[in-house]
Amino acid sequence: MIRLLTVLLLGALVVPAVAQGQTASDLLAQGIRAYAVREYDGGAWLLKRALAFQGADALPPAEAARALMYLTATELSRNQRDSALAAARRLIVIDPKFRPDDQVFPPQAIALYQEARRNAPTVSIRALGDTAIRPGVDAFAVRLAATTSPDVTAAVTAADGRVVRTLYTGPVRDSIDVRWNGLDISGNPPPSGRYAITVMPTSRGSRGTWTLRLPLELVRPTVDTTPLPPAPPDSLLRPEHGDYPGAWRALLPGVLAGAAIVVLPKVVASGERPSNARLIVGGTVTVAGIAAFLAHRPGRTLPGNTQYNRSLRENWRRNVADITRRNAERVRQARIVIRPAAPVLTAPGAP
Amino acid sequence: MKKVLALLCLLPAPLAAQRLQFTFGGTGAQEIVNSRVDPAFERLTGLVLGGEGLVMSDRLVGRLRYAQGHVTGAAGSSITPRDIVEGEALVGFRAMPWLTLWAGPSARAYTSANGDQRWFFWSGRATARGSLLPGRMQTFVELWSSLSGNVRTPATTASGRGAEAGLEMRLGQQAFWGRLAYSIESGHATSKRETVEAISLSLIYGLPQ
């Protein structure tokens, strides 16, 4: 007895170390061997580890179904009936047509599987694995299978439950392929994040009795886009109305200089009789100031400048629209990666 | 005087460190000379032609003006005609973008059959400019007053003051500017008074200061 405990203890210590760096298939093979030698605790741990792999490292559907059947039998042998039923239900979701080999598994395990099959919803979902698609061009396909012909609706949902796009509504006879083109309802690729393909029954009697979810991780690679040009700054725009301050600033020096010319002889040479020629110069300077005042066209609209500014803004808008369109095209052409995880069946009514 | 010489020696260094701009131009002026030598009074008019040059750095300005001409009395009068030569050499400082302060000598000499007469002043000046249309049209007013002066012959101390104002306008898109100006100067000495009015037209190459 002490020797057996020592072996078990060593096994418990060694198995995790060995499991590190092993593939899901290696762990499945070890789990099956552990089941064969009735090492159920270690076997259950190994099988769960094998089933925990995600993405490209995950077990293929047929292997996953095999692992779940062994897990069902192992848990049953450990007197963990609920865990065994849970494993059997997962198996039915992956492959509702799975038939356990009665030469390999004991009658109790097969009976438990049949019981789960009788009580479980009869629909399953299967994805091929990680898929890269061009939104709107390619499609990500999943296969829905059912042993009966339930009416279902299948939709891509966001993490908050919001429907991104409805993929299918109707009956599932034997199996159908449902495709998602990677676009949402408005025709745009959704942002990276966690989504799911959610399948629910729609017939009156079975509505809300179960929900089948295929979790998806959507990854959009960074697309090299052109930054949008900034709006034309005020310094590039011309005044659209003549300005009063500028006009007054022009008038003032002209009038002051004109007045100075008229007054200067009295300041510089008082008592002299200055010539009237200064009035010509003073008048000219004053008229020039008034002309400069009017040249600023105070208060008036300047159609030439308005047209210039409008043209400048339109060019900018055209540039922005053009770059936005090209950026959208680049984003649209970029492939998105869809990584499906293990499907989850929620059946509130199931035992 | 030594301080002035030292300052003049130091000027080239700051000027070299700054970008220099030059302007030059020609001037034609109609001058009216009112000459009083108590108790006589003479009024002479005539054309005076001259030129000017200006060198500017960031803040410092130098200006040279020279003109000469001939003035005569009214037709039929017995007033003796005179030849006029006048000039100035000023150094200025741009205290504000619109205000320049000047200092330097100016002189005016008359030559006639009755003998020569020369007025010489050290003066301080201020020139204010205002823009009517930026880069195209501007006005200016310049006032000056003598710091010291003399008139000869015979040699006598003198004082004077004057003013000039006018309009400068860019001619087309070129670097040529036209200037219409009115100036008046008055020199006083014992029993003498000379007042010179002038209306001048100038053509200047390069931006005025």
Side-chain angles (χ1 to χ4, degrees), chain A residues 40-41 44-45 47-48 51 67-92 109 112-113 115-116 351:
Chain A
Y40 299 125
D41 290 341
W45 186 86
L47 291 168
K48 285 176 184 171
L51 288 162
L68 284 166
M69 189 60 225
Y70 271 101
L71 185 59
T72 301
T74 303
E75 294 288 19
L76 192 63
S77 301
R78 293 169 67 208
N79 292 321
Q80 301 291 329
R81 183 178 165 77
D82 288 345
S83 299
L85 265 175
R89 279 201 289 267
R90 282 180 65 189
L91 168 55
I92 293 159
L112 186 135
Y113 171 74
E115 177 191 339

Side-chain angles (χ1 to χ4, degrees), chain A:
Chain A
M1 186 63 184
I2 293 171
R3 193 176 170 186
L4 180 61
L5 282 173
T6 307
V7 169
L8 285 175
L9 187 61
L10 280 173
L13 289 171
V14 169
V15 163
V18 171
Q20 294 290 329
Q22 291 182 319
T23 65
S25 296
D26 293 340
L27 292 169
L28 171 60
Q30 289 173 21
I32 291 171
R33 277 201 298 275
Y35 174 78
V37 297
R38 300 184 179 184
E39 180 43 62
Y40 299 125
D41 290 341
W45 186 86
L46 287 163
L47 291 168
K48 285 176 184 171
R49 288 275 302 172
L51 288 162
F53 280 82
Q54 298 286 333
D57 298 330
L59 289 170
E63 289 289 281
R66 190 162 163 242
L68 284 166
M69 189 60 225
Y70 271 101
L71 185 59
T72 301
T74 303
E75 294 288 19
L76 192 63
S77 301
R78 293 169 67 208
N79 292 321
Q80 301 291 329
R81 183 178 165 77
D82 288 345
S83 299
L85 265 175
R89 279 201 289 267
R90 282 180 65 189
L91 168 55
I92 293 159
V93 170
I94 290 174
D95 185 2
K97 295 176 181 174
F98 183 84
R99 293 288 180 270
D101 186 349
D102 55 7
Q103 299 297 313
V104 176
F105 299 105
Q108 297 90 332
I110 292 172
L112 186 135
Y113 171 74
Q114 296 297 353
E115 177 191 339
R117 196 155 180 265
R118 276 195 302 275
N119 294 326
T122 57
V123 67
S124 69
I125 189 167
R126 183 185 292 182
L128 288 177
D130 293 0
T131 308
I133 64 165
R134 284 173 297 171
V137 179
D138 306 324
F140 171 73
V142 294
R143 173 159 291 184
L144 295 179
T147 51
T148 59
S149 299
D151 285 330
V152 300
T153 180
V156 177
T157 54
D160 59 1
R162 176 178 50 88
V163 173
V164 174
R165 192 178 183 106
T166 301
L167 304 179
Y168 177 76
T169 301
V172 179
R173 294 194 178 88
D174 191 34
S175 69
I176 57 164
D177 286 341
V178 172
R179 295 173 185 279
W180 180 38
N181 64 0
L183 303 177
D184 61 14
I185 295 170
S186 54
N188 297 314
S192 298
R194 296 190 178 281
Y195 298 85
I197 292 180
T198 304
V199 183
M200 289 188 291
T202 55
S203 56
R204 186 171 293 174
S206 58
R207 194 174 296 160
T209 54
W210 54 267
T211 303
L212 181 61
R213 291 181 76 251
L214 177 68
L216 303 176
E217 185 187 359
L218 193 148
V219 180
R220 293 177 65 179
T222 306
V223 180
D224 190 16
T225 54
T226 308
L228 296 178
D234 289 346
S235 59
L236 285 183
L237 299 175
R238 293 178 179 173
E240 296 185 4
H241 296 276
D243 64 320
Y244 272 104
W248 288 116
R249 276 197 298 273
L251 178 65
L252 200 61
V255 171
L256 287 179
I261 289 169
V262 174
V263 173
L264 279 175
K266 296 196 182 304
V267 176
V268 172
S270 58
E272 291 287 354
R273 188 170 58 85
S275 71
N276 290 332
R278 74 186 194 286
L279 300 178
I280 298 171
V281 180
T284 304
V285 173
T286 306
V287 168
I290 293 169
F293 175 85
L294 295 176
H296 282 83
R297 305 178 75 175
R300 294 190 199 170
T301 54
L302 306 174
N305 288 2
T306 307
Q307 178 62 34
Y308 173 86
N309 291 344
R310 189 185 301 137
S311 156
L312 202 66
R313 291 193 184 101
E314 280 174 5
N315 277 343
W316 171 71
R317 285 196 200 99
R318 231 183 343 261
N319 276 346
V320 167
D322 191 42
I323 292 171
T324 304
R325 184 182 51 74
R326 277 189 275 130
N327 285 347
E329 190 60 29
R330 283 183 197 167
V331 170
R332 188 177 291 276
Q333 290 299 319
R335 290 175 183 273
I336 59 172
V337 178
I338 301 172
R339 295 188 180 123
V344 179
L345 179 69
T346 310

Side-chain angles (χ1 to χ4, degrees), chain B residues 161-180:
Chain B
R161 57 189 172 182
E164 184 179 4
L167 178 73
E168 291 169 329
M169 193 163 62
R170 192 171 192 160
L171 304 176
Q173 298 299 313
Q174 306 301 317
F176 285 100
W177 287 68
R179 178 200 291 150
L180 172 67

